[in-house]
Amino acid sequence: MISHRLQFSVPPGFSFWRTVYSHGWCALPPFSIQKESGTFSRILSLEDEVPAECIMRDAGNKIIVLARSQFPLTGDQKARIKHQLKACLRLDEEMSEFYAEAQRSPRFRWIPKAGAGRMLRAPTVFEDVVKMICTTNCSWSLTEVMVQNLTTQLGKGFEDGKYSFPTPDAIAGKSDAFLRKNIRSGYRSPYLLELAENVASGRLDLESWRSSPDATTDLFKTVKSVKGMGDYAAGNILKLLGRYDYLGLDSWVRSRFYHLHTNGRKVRDTTIEKHYAPLGKFRGLFFWLEMTRHWYQRKFPF
DNA sequence: GCGTCCAGGTCTACC
DNA sequence: GGTAGACCTGGACGC
């Protein structure tokens, strides 16, 4: 195995660990956290699906990456690795307007101070959508099982039981019965197959969503046109596309809202939506950060 | 160990 | 547009 030391700078106020722990993606492979060494890793796919392990370390105004691969990396491959990692950490996202909005209310001034607000995402929209479908209508532990099975059974092996995330082709080449039995994705299996087949064939260009010029309401409808993506899943995929107009409610955030705002009393979803409506186009992000603020008190909240 | 019940979003059929 | 029932799994619970 050959190691390369890479690095890239981060914007002022950027918080590596607050971005890593922005939501549960950091705990799903091919992402992984090494608490003992204080590093965050990712198995990336290079061209021809050759996997490379990228071990990231926070160094203040920059991120230092130890990239490990079976072959010496070319300059072009190193550049692509940095590009993918920066996309995952949302370093391409301009946060000044959101932080200015947060500064206007004492309730949210902790956000820019904590360097919070960048939500970790996968290198590809395809991976984000597959994982989001795997979070629907099940416990988090089952989501972990499904994603683990997808990587170990359909991804490319690296070493020590580490695998890349499967390509659309790799999933599309399997049967419904295989997904149900081996991935444990149950009734979601036909949704995953249809998605993978449409992306693999070129009929569906998910990656264009990150640069879509469409209005957010139209993009929301486009996301929901994917089988298996309802209001919750589409609202949260939009957050990973840099659009924060939807709350993406599920049972966990609802119970957090009841705990924080209604003394535990259940209220309608429309009541929650009205509560955040005055916060405009960033309401989905304010909502998520408020629900998860308790995570920001520890370096490793879970 | 086995059976039953329930929670968790989305889809489809129906009104 | 709103709603009921089905989908599938894992965990909790009772026996």
Side-chain angles (χ1 to χ4, degrees):
Chain A
M1 210 55 73
I2 299 164
S3 296
H4 303 261
R5 188 182 185 276
L6 313 176
Q7 66 177 54
F8 48 84
S9 58
V10 298
F14 171 78
S15 171
F16 178 68
W17 287 106
R18 298 286 64 93
T19 303
V20 169
Y21 271 107
S22 51
H23 63 125
W25 262 207
C26 61
L28 296 177
F31 286 120
S32 65
I33 288 169
Q34 300 75 46
K35 293 181 182 174
E36 64 290 348
S37 58
T39 53
F40 176 54
S41 300
R42 164 81 202 191
I43 306 292
L44 287 180
S45 283
L46 306 179
E47 67 270 28
D48 299 327
E49 299 177 40
V50 174
E53 182 182 36
C54 302
I55 305 168
M56 290 169 270
R57 181 184 301 281
D58 181 21
N61 60 353
K62 62 187 173 188
I63 304 296
I64 294 172
V65 184
L66 182 68
R68 303 176 66 239
S69 62
Q70 285 180 312
F71 308 102
L73 296 173
T74 65
D76 190 44
Q77 286 173 322
K78 290 176 189 173
R80 262 183 272 171
I81 284 175
K82 286 200 272 188
H83 179 78
Q84 288 192 65
L85 296 179
K86 287 159 116 177
C88 293
L89 295 170
R90 311 292 290 271
L91 294 178
D92 48 348
E93 189 150 324
E94 180 52 61
M95 301 297 287
S96 55
E97 187 185 358
F98 171 66
Y99 284 161
E101 198 66 33
Q103 286 289 3
R104 293 174 56 184
S105 167
R107 178 178 162 196
F108 298 117
R109 278 185 198 142
W110 66 273
I111 293 172
K113 207 173 169 183
R118 285 185 165 87
M119 296 189 70
L120 182 72
R121 67 184 177 189
T124 65
V125 178
F126 174 71
E127 181 180 326
D128 281 331
V129 171
V130 168
K131 284 178 169 173
M132 199 62 76
I133 289 174
C134 291
T135 68
T136 57
N137 201 27
C138 65
S139 61
W140 180 252
S141 60
L142 181 55
T143 297
E144 290 179 311
V145 167
M146 287 186 263
V147 175
Q148 181 75 33
N149 288 337
L150 280 168
T151 55
T152 57
Q153 300 194 40
L154 299 176
K156 291 285 179 190
F158 181 69
E159 65 168 16
D160 299 337
K162 297 168 188 167
Y163 297 82
S164 63
F165 194 80
T167 60
D169 278 312
I171 297 176
K174 293 296 172 186
S175 66
D176 180 87
F178 176 90
L179 294 186
R180 287 174 189 266
K181 184 169 182 284
N182 297 70
I183 308 300
R184 311 298 297 163
S185 45
Y187 71 92
R188 301 165 197 80
S189 303
Y191 304 154
L192 295 176
L193 271 182
E194 185 179 314
L195 171 71
E197 285 165 0
N198 284 336
V199 173
S201 68
R203 287 191 295 271
L204 180 60
D205 180 13
L206 294 182
E207 305 313 313
S208 68
W209 289 358
R210 284 188 182 169
S211 55
S212 170
D214 293 353
T216 305
T217 47
D218 292 334
L219 192 54
F220 184 69
K221 285 179 196 160
T222 302
V223 175
K224 277 190 69 175
S225 71
V226 172
K227 280 268 184 67
M229 301 289 288
D231 286 349
Y232 148 80
N236 283 303
I237 279 296
L238 282 186
K239 291 175 191 165
L240 303 184
L241 299 173
R243 316 276 192 121
Y244 305 105
D245 306 57
Y246 293 86
L247 303 188
L249 298 173
D250 67 3
S251 58
W252 186 81
V253 285
R254 285 191 190 97
S255 68
R256 286 291 302 159
F257 180 86
Y258 305 150
H259 173 71
L260 293 171
H261 290 290
T262 63
N263 205 19
R265 184 175 54 88
K266 287 187 179 180
V267 294
R268 293 171 189 271
D269 287 353
T270 49
T271 304
I272 303 177
E273 282 157 9
K274 277 180 193 165
H275 184 95
Y276 290 93
L279 296 167
K281 67 176 184 177
F282 293 117
R283 59 188 178 276
L285 189 51
F286 281 122
F287 168 66
W288 177 251
L289 290 169
E290 189 168 71
M291 297 305 103
T292 58
R293 183 176 180 177
H294 57 299
W295 290 356
Y296 291 78
Q297 290 157 4
R298 287 186 292 163
K299 184 173 180 179
F300 303 118
F302 52 83

